[in-house]
Amino acid sequence: MTEEINFIIDSAKESMNGSVAHLEKEFLNIRAGKASPQMLGSVFVDYYGAQTALAQVANVVAADARTLTVSPWEKAMLQPIEKAIMIANLGLNPMNNGDNIIISIPALTEDRRRELVKQAKAEAEDAKVGIRNARKDANSDIKKEEKDGTSEDICKVAEDSVQKLTDAFIKKIDEIFTAKEAEIMKV
């Protein structure tokens, strides 16, 4: 295969890897029972006019399996952090004790578990769409190469390898989703 075709395939693979990495990051935000500091990874606080990640203005610790403790480095940040956690719409209720913010993680109900599985499935579908878009882009680039004089056989082989990549990454996403679903549904 030509250098351009190899570059197209490598770019598609990189893009598909990016979709999988994004899915894994999104799955960290979907909690499954046990308290984890990553649950607050999507929370951004107004820190002197700039939106700043919670981890950069406070220490977040899982005190036990059902409690998160947020200790701000500046006492003045207690209210903004509390507000940011509520705005993040994570279904968590922060309590301010004057020094720290304590978040009790409620046990998941069966209905809530089903909602979380639906949310995880939607994220997995989004990742699959990203992978299919990478395939579409790669195939259109291969078609351009064919128009520019690359042989039809080489382009056909390249399209087949892009399809094999796509199938492998879709399977990987299905495996990640199945594992997450089992984790969420486990009582």
Side-chain angles (χ1 to χ4, degrees), residues 139-158:
N139 283 340
S140 66
D141 288 346
I142 290 169
K143 293 269 188 249
K144 285 179 193 164
E145 287 298 318
E146 190 175 346
K147 283 180 183 171
D148 291 344
T150 304
S151 87
E152 196 175 313
D153 291 341
I154 290 175
C155 291
K156 185 70 180 142
V157 169

Side-chain angles (χ1 to χ4, degrees), residues 10 20 23 71 86 102 125:
D10 288 344
V20 171
L23 176 68
S71 307
M86 285 187 203
I102 299 165
E125 286 304 317

Side-chain angles (χ1 to χ4, degrees), residues 60-124:
V60 182
V61 191
D64 58 49
R66 294 257 177 252
T67 311
L68 286 175
T69 305
V70 181
S71 307
W73 292 313
E74 297 176 34
K75 251 199 165 91
M77 291 305 296
L78 276 170
Q79 256 68 36
I81 290 172
E82 192 174 12
K83 183 178 170 191
I85 292 170
M86 285 187 203
I87 290 172
N89 198 17
L90 298 171
L92 302 174
N93 190 16
M95 294 177 290
N96 183 341
N97 70 4
D99 292 324
N100 300 318
I101 295 171
I102 299 165
I103 304 167
S104 293
I105 310 297
L108 295 174
T109 63
E110 188 68 24
D111 289 342
R112 182 68 179 137
R113 288 179 194 277
R114 290 189 202 291
E115 283 177 37
L116 291 174
V117 168
K118 281 183 188 173
Q119 185 182 346
K121 188 160 186 67
E123 292 293 346

